[in-house]
Amino acid sequence: MAVPPFTRPRRLLPLFLGLFQGALLLFFALFVTYDEPSAQAEDTNLVANQVYSTFPFFQDIQVMLVVGLGLLLTFLPRYGFSALTHNFLLLNFSMQWALVLQGLLHHFHHGQVQLDLHKVLTAEFAAVTVLISVGAILGRTSPCQLLVMATCEVPIYLASEWIIVTCLGVLDVGGTITIHVFSCYFGLGVSKVLFRAAQQPLHPKETPTPRSDLMSLVGMLILWVFWPSFVAVLCQPGDAQHRAILNTLLAMSASAITTVVASSLLEKDGKLSPSHLQNGSLAGGVAIGVVADMAMPPVAALALGSLSAVACVLGFRFLTPLLGRKLVLQDQCGIHNLHGLPGILGAAASIVAILVASEDTSGSHSSQLFPTGGNASEVVEGQWGAHGVSGQALCQAAGLAVAIGASLLAGLLVGATLRLPCLAQPPKQLCFDDSLYFKIQDQAESPGPDSTTEEEGALALKEQV
C-alpha cells in the first residue's frame, strides 16, 4: 500500500537522523579515542586543573544554548514546542557533525582522533552559528530543511574561521566576527533566496502574546547572566580572562539600561517593547567579544555596550521594516539587529582599539591592549613585520569583510538548496504551528479533525507541487 504523501516528511526526518547517527557511531568506533593523560603526576594534576577551570564555563554555555536561547525563540505563541526542540536538536546534530569535521581536518594523527573537553567546546561554537542563522527563517521551514542547512553551514563556518583567525590573524576571542557576524549574514542569505518570491505578509500565528513574550524574556535573562562565560572561556587564564569577564559584564549592563532608554523614547507613551528588551539587552555581549580581553578602560566597555544597544533598537524600529520593503528580506528573529549590527560595531571598535596602541607602541598602555600581555610592537611585528599595529588593524577589517562576504555568498547557495521539494517546506497557512510536527495533547487548543485533514491535505498538495 502506498504511503500517503503527507507522511513523507515525517518519515524523512527519522531516516535522515538515523543514518547520521549510525554513520557517527561507525566513525567513533573506528577513529575516536579519549585523550590519554600523562603518566607523570604533575602533568596529571595540570590536566585536572585545566578540566576543573574549563568545565564550569562549559556548563554555563550549555545552559545558555539549551535553555536560554531555546526560550528566547519561544516568542511565537504556537511554535514553542518546535522552537525549543529544533534548537536542542540542531545543537546536538551540529556539535557532533563539527566534531567529525574538526577531527578529520585538524586532529587526525596516526589514524586516531583524541577527544577532549576543549574539542567539544570548539565544536559547540560551530553549532552556535547554526542556532543563530536559523533565527532568520524560524517558523517557516521544516526540520529537514534546518538539518540540511546545518550540514552545509558547519563546514563553511570552519573554513571561514580558519581563514579569518589562522590566515589573517584576526583577534576575536569572543567570536564577534567569526560567529555572530558570520552566522547573521549566512542566515540572511538563506532567507533571501528561500523566500525570494514576494514579501511575506504578517502571518496570523506570528504575533506574540504576553505569555510567549514573557517566556522569551526569561530566555534573555538566562543568556544575559551566563554570557560572560561564553566570551571568556577561550581566553588565556589569568589577567586576560579576568578582563574579558569584567568588560563583558560592563558592556551588557550598559546595553540593558540603554535598551530601556531607547525603547521608551521610540515607543508611543514611553512604553517598552518586549522585542527591544529581549534583544537589545544582549547586544553589548555580542559587540564586546572581539575586544573583551584587551585592557580597555572601563568606560570604553560601557560605551560600546550602550552604542550596540542603540544600534539594535534602531534596527528593529527602522532598519528591519526598510529591508523588508526594499530588499524583500525576511528576518524572523531580527538576527541582523542583535548579531549583525553589534558585530560590525564591535569589529570597528577593535580597529580603533588597535590603532590607539600605535600612539605609544613601547608604553604600558599599548602593551595592555593585546591579549598576550606582551609589548605591542613585539606582538605585532612578529606577525606583520613592517606593517606593525596598523597592519593588524587592516587585518581586523579584512576579517570582517571575509565574514560578511563568504557567509552571504554561502547562504545564498544553501538557500537555493533548501528550495528542493523533497525537503517539504510547509505551506504558508501551516507555518508557525506546533501541530504540524508535534502530537499536542491539549484538545482545547488543538485543531479539530476537519482542520487536521485540511492541514494534511494542504501539505500533501504542497509536496506534489
Side-chain angles (χ1 to χ4, degrees):
M1 182 177 179
V3 178
F6 56 81
T7 65
R8 290 175 189 164
R10 298 168 190 173
R11 297 194 177 183
L12 182 62
L13 178 64
L15 177 63
F16 185 100
L17 289 175
L19 290 175
F20 168 79
Q21 199 64 60
L24 195 81
L25 286 171
L26 182 61
F27 177 81
F28 268 61
L30 295 176
F31 303 112
V32 179
T33 183
Y34 287 118
D35 193 9
E36 297 180 2
S38 172
Q40 298 181 4
E42 314 150 347
D43 294 336
T44 302
N45 291 334
L46 178 61
V47 171
N49 290 334
Q50 290 175 344
V51 172
Y52 296 148
S53 63
T54 304
F55 189 68
F57 288 105
F58 179 80
Q59 284 291 78
D60 290 350
I61 295 170
Q62 290 282 83
V63 174
M64 283 181 64
L65 302 181
V66 176
V67 184
L69 184 56
L71 288 176
L72 185 69
L73 300 177
T74 60
F75 64 94
L76 297 169
R78 298 187 61 179
Y79 203 69
F81 282 110
S82 300
L84 279 167
T85 305
H86 294 164
N87 179 77
F88 185 57
L89 172 64
L90 288 170
L91 172 63
N92 286 281
F93 176 87
S94 303
M95 184 267 291
Q96 293 185 41
W97 179 224
L99 277 177
V100 172
L101 294 177
Q102 286 180 339
L104 291 175
L105 294 174
H106 304 299
H107 310 299
F108 196 76
H109 304 294
H110 307 294
Q112 292 289 319
V113 177
Q114 292 190 334
L115 193 63
D116 59 25
L117 185 59
H118 184 269
K119 294 183 179 68
V120 176
L121 179 63
T122 55
E124 288 216 337
F125 278 9
V128 171
T129 62
V130 177
L131 303 184
I132 294 173
S133 298
V134 163
I137 57 175
L138 185 72
R140 298 183 185 270
T141 46
S142 68
C144 293
Q145 287 178 303
L146 298 181
L147 290 173
V148 170
M149 178 177 170
T151 304
C152 299
E153 184 172 3
V154 169
I156 297 169
Y157 160 75
L158 294 176
S160 172
E161 184 199 33
W162 179 77
I163 293 172
I164 293 172
V165 176
T166 304
C167 297
L168 296 177
V170 171
L171 302 175
D172 185 20
V173 70
T176 296
I177 299 172
T178 55
I179 294 177
H180 294 284
V181 172
F182 172 88
S183 57
C184 168
Y185 290 99
F186 184 92
L188 294 180
V190 171
S191 177
K192 175 60 181 175
V193 175
L194 192 58
F195 308 124
R196 65 185 178 185
Q199 185 175 356
Q200 300 293 316
L202 185 65
H203 197 282
K205 301 173 187 175
E206 193 176 350
T207 304
T209 62
R211 181 177 180 180
S212 65
D213 268 334
L214 179 61
M215 293 294 291
S216 182
L217 194 61
V218 171
M220 180 277 291
L221 295 175
I222 294 172
L223 287 169
W224 193 95
V225 168
F226 291 109
W227 203 288
S229 294
F230 181 85
V231 173
V233 64
L234 294 182
C235 292
Q236 290 292 330
D239 289 341
Q241 198 167 65
H242 186 214
R243 288 197 300 269
I245 293 172
L246 291 177
N247 284 331
T248 305
L249 286 171
L250 290 174
M252 298 198 70
S253 180
S255 66
I257 292 177
T258 306
T259 297
V260 174
V261 175
S263 180
S264 179
L265 291 176
L266 289 174
E267 294 297 320
K268 294 180 180 179
D269 303 324
K271 295 183 178 181
L272 302 177
S273 168
S275 63
H276 294 169
L277 293 176
Q278 293 154 5
N279 295 274
S281 303
L282 303 174
V286 174
I288 198 67
V290 68
V291 293
D293 58 344
M294 299 180 185
M296 307 178 301
V299 67
L302 289 170
L304 185 57
S306 296
L307 289 174
S308 60
V310 170
C312 181
V313 173
L314 291 177
F316 271 102
R317 187 66 175 83
F318 300 108
L319 188 57
T320 296
L322 180 65
L323 294 177
R325 291 193 308 268
K326 299 297 184 181
L327 301 181
V328 196
L329 185 61
Q330 175 73 29
D331 184 5
Q332 193 63 49
C333 296
I335 62 173
H336 189 232
N337 307 316
L338 175 55
H339 302 278
L341 297 178
I344 293 174
L345 187 62
S350 72
I351 296 172
V352 172
I354 291 169
L355 289 177
V356 168
S358 65
E359 296 177 1
D360 182 12
T361 56
S362 62
S364 59
H365 173 67
S366 61
S367 69
Q368 291 175 349
L369 271 172
F370 288 87
T372 57
N375 182 273
S377 59
E378 295 175 357
V379 173
V380 178
E381 286 174 8
Q383 294 181 353
W384 309 109
H387 292 293
V389 176
S390 60
Q392 180 64 46
L394 288 175
C395 288
Q396 297 292 116
L400 177 64
V402 169
I404 295 176
S407 59
L408 266 178
L409 177 61
L412 293 172
L413 296 175
V414 173
T417 303
L418 298 188
R419 293 178 64 88
L420 294 174
C422 61
L423 298 179
Q425 181 178 339
K428 295 178 182 178
Q429 64 269 28
L430 300 184
C431 292
F432 309 112
D433 200 326
D434 288 324
S435 63
L436 188 59
Y437 305 109
F438 286 84
K439 183 177 180 180
I440 307 298
Q441 298 297 333
D442 188 355
Q443 295 299 324
E445 298 183 4
S446 298
D450 294 338
S451 177
T452 302
T453 303
E454 282 183 30
E455 290 186 353
E456 292 178 337
L459 183 57
L461 178 62
K462 175 67 177 179
E463 290 186 321
Q464 289 173 357
V465 173

